[in-house]
Amino acid sequence: MPINFREKEKEFHLYNDSLSYVICVLPNGHIGNLYYGKRLSENMSYAYLLENKYRPLTAYVYEDDDCFSLQHTRQEYASYGSGDMILPAFEISHEDGSHLSHFVFYDYAISKGKPQLSGLPNTYVESDEEATSLELYLKDHNSETELCLTYTIYESRAVITRNAKFTQRGEKELCLKRALSLCLDLPDKDYEWLHLDGAWGRERYLQSSLLHQGSQSIYSLKGASSAEHNPFIALKRPDANEHEGEVMGFSLVYSGNFLAQVDVTPFHQTRVSMGIHPLGFEWYLKSGESFQTPEVVMVYSHLGLNGMSQIYHDLFSQRLARGEWRDRERPILLNNWEAMTFNFNENSILSLAEVAAKLGVELFVMDDGWFGQRNNEKAGLGDWRVNQKKLPNGLLGISQRIHQLGMLFGLWIEPEMVNKDSDLYREHPDWILHHPKHSQSQGRHQYTLDLSREEVYQNIYQQLHDLLANHGIDYIKWDMNRYMTEAYSYHATKEHQGAIFHRYILNLYRLYETLTSEFPHILFESCSSGGARFDPGMLYYAPQTWTSDDTDAYERLKIQYGTSLVYPLITMGNHVSEVPNQQLLRTTPLSTRANVAYFGSFGYEIDLMLLEEEELELIKKEIDFYKNYRRVFQFGNFTRLINPFETDDAAWQVISEDGHHVFVGLYLGLLKLNGPSYHRLHLKGLEAEASYRLNNQVYLGSALMNAGLVINEKDFTEGYKDFASAIYHLEKM
Ligand code: DGJ
């Protein structure tokens, strides 16, 4: 069992080949952290790592032990009020007005496998042999509240997951004001912290800085995980890079408000905290009720950032994503949004579809504009019935024609939203998140439905069920185009108000869970004004996400590079779009747009009717090429090679599951006159002794990795120019 318990020292050691995580019961009964890092021997105690030092004048020590202070002790789920002065993992408001809690360890359980969280997305195992789990039970004797801290260590992945659960066993009601998923104390501060930040159209840009004393945090208060900050951070040793050195990743499996915070104490210890954002959060627990926090997935790598990413990629594609589509190759799609926006009818849709089918497109997606009075952004959301004026033969008519053309049929929905100009709003004006005495903020002329209310949930569920059951739909793009404001639930009790954001997310997950179970053949792609809800919570239900509304190939390099820090290629929806690009007016070669988009779930978002014959020919070739190798591009082992945040260029590679095919993508920014020439690109992860063929030349793996592949101007698909790109295909002999 990769979890050892040493009875005498009350010490738990979670280990596998890559890592060790050692925790213990502290002298006051709380749980402390002794070690997290590279694998240690499981045959000894690490109790010597517990700080036991007299610090006169500077510490708040226990009355009966001058050397024991929470202020200096690394804890696993820290509480505030008894000496620890850093922001805690939780806060409970008790009936007597006290905010003090004292959770003391009383029991534990070790079991094979991984318990699943009820109502929340989480990673899983397919056999109990894949992981071992530890549950630590603590009790606050004052309030009789129970706290269960759950850890799972995977046997052959450098992954530990954590979550916490509160259960009120006493008679009195209490209010949870903060209940994070993770608190981890580390013994020094010599890290850079990395996070993925941005905004609409430039999601998941890589940011990093050295830690400093005090707090540094990222968060979302938007009701969605957001484009501005992804629910992920990493701590990296300053000497670690993409391929070597120690990196720890922390990813929250959640799609709503979150906080990820790193505190460095005056004594240069580091606390990592992660979970639901506590601002405005209140969750009342009556006797017998529980609150379950979302899961945090911790990854440990001593092979740098790529090492960390590959562990996340494997885990998220194989043990987070689920369902029929998890392991299936994803169809090449054509989405009509950039070509038509709201302006289409049955004839124009079918004309576009006919050309798409001829080129080899496999899935035709009809985006926004097919329902209610949806002729612009101002109307229709909420009325999920076909617009007969635009589509006189209904959705079924369209889907049958698309199927006859040999393609799958996909549809866009945005079920969490409503326009005031809609039948749904006219019938139920009180169903939106709003306060009756407060002004309302609109975003894109739309309002957020109060999904925390059961009747709202039921209405949306029924509309979606009817849509999916009766119209020959094979794919759904589930959008969400505004963040939440005025988050007040009309009619609900005072106690309900602090829980709205989380209840909304729980019901969103419930909706996804119900629909994906009822319609397992449908491929779901999540979307939120592009990539504003690209998070592990969504991937549990929808195994791919629209990466960004920014489809400019040059900008996409950064977006896809940053996204790849955590998320596997198969989860990224990447489309070739028209030039000049609709968002940036930049013109990049058609080949570059495809060479960038290949690395993920590939598709087009372009008006094929406006293209020259030559361009259509090129697109047909691209489609044929991708079909031949899509398994590699979607499921291969991905490595970042040149960082577009550090240079104007970018490069990455993917190796097929069987190691036989290697594709390298190389992308240039602006050409440099008389710039550095004769570049060598150092490939990674090849077999040193194996031979690889590239364009009739044979190279040894060791040469390609150590001496490098020499880049030549003639390698670029459409010539050597601004935004040129090349794809190298190496085959192992
Ligand atoms: C935002 C999405 O990101 C786009 O791809 C498109 O579906 C629009 N919404 C439609 O309103």
Side-chain angles (χ1 to χ4, degrees), residues 224-293:
S225 48
S226 89
E228 286 72 13
H229 298 289
N230 198 258
F232 161 81
I233 59 170
L235 293 186
K236 149 184 164 331
R237 291 296 186 187
D239 62 356
N241 58 34
E242 277 283 16
H243 309 288
E244 289 162 346
E246 187 177 62
V247 180
M248 297 172 183
F250 304 89
S251 167
L252 181 69
V253 187
Y254 192 60
S255 312
N257 288 352
F258 76 91
L259 171 69
Q261 181 160 325
V262 184
D263 284 286
V264 175
T265 74
F267 312 103
H268 291 181
Q269 298 187 357
T270 298
R271 171 168 298 168
V272 183
S273 307
M274 209 171 201
I276 293 177
H277 202 293
L279 187 91
F281 174 81
E282 284 190 336
W283 196 280
Y284 286 85
L285 284 184
K286 293 198 174 67
S287 184
E289 290 179 348
S290 296
F291 179 79
Q292 173 65 62
T293 73

Side-chain angles (χ1 to χ4, degrees), residues 384-453:
W384 300 105
R385 294 178 303 274
V386 75
N387 180 331
Q388 295 281 352
K389 271 200 198 139
K390 283 184 180 174
L391 306 169
N393 291 302
L395 277 181
L396 199 55
I398 287 276
S399 74
Q400 279 168 350
R401 291 295 308 279
I402 300 286
H403 288 152
Q404 279 159 9
L405 289 168
M407 294 186 289
L408 300 170
F409 175 61
L411 195 66
W412 178 97
I413 54 171
E414 193 180 2
E416 301 154 66
M417 299 293 156
V418 70
N419 290 114
K420 287 200 170 172
D421 186 358
S422 68
D423 292 344
L424 185 74
Y425 182 82
R426 281 182 281 273
E427 260 175 65
H428 302 286
D430 60 323
W431 277 13
I432 59 172
L433 287 175
H434 76 292
H435 190 289
K437 296 192 177 141
H438 201 294
S439 62
Q440 292 166 13
S441 317
Q442 57 97 348
R444 210 192 187 208
H445 304 281
Q446 65 191 55
Y447 299 80
T448 312
L449 285 168
D450 181 0
L451 202 51
S452 73
R453 284 171 65 172

Side-chain angles (χ1 to χ4, degrees), residues 24-32 62 68 70 75-79 82 101-105 138:
C24 66
V25 179
L26 294 170
N28 67 344
H30 295 194
I31 305 297
Y62 271 61
F68 181 66
L70 287 181
Q75 297 161 73
E76 278 293 282
Y77 204 69
S79 55
S82 303
S101 302
H102 180 51
F103 280 96
V104 171
F105 170 84
L138 298 95

Side-chain angles (χ1 to χ4, degrees), residues 157-176:
R157 302 171 194 269
V159 173
I160 290 183
T161 64
R162 287 186 54 178
N163 69 76
K165 183 177 180 180
F166 291 88
T167 304
Q168 177 52 317
R169 301 273 179 222
E171 288 309 311
K172 296 192 171 139
E173 187 177 71
L174 56 82
C175 178
L176 269 175

Side-chain angles (χ1 to χ4, degrees), residues 371 518 651:
F371 53 91
E518 285 179 353

Side-chain angles (χ1 to χ4, degrees), residues 113-114 116 123-131 154 157 315 317-323 326-327:
K114 182 173 192 292
Q116 290 299 280
T123 55
Y124 58 89
V125 291
E126 287 198 333
S127 111
D128 280 351
E129 303 311 308
E130 286 181 25
Y154 278 84
R157 302 171 194 269
L315 182 78
S317 58
Q318 291 159 24
R319 295 293 180 269
L320 177 69
R322 301 171 301 161
R326 185 188 75 178
D327 301 326

Side-chain angles (χ1 to χ4, degrees), residues 337 367-368 412 444 477 479 481 527 529-530 546 549:
W337 175 248
D367 208 281
D368 198 353
W412 178 97
R444 210 192 187 208
K477 175 177 172 188
D479 207 343
N481 280 304
C527 170
S529 302
W546 177 224
D549 274 346

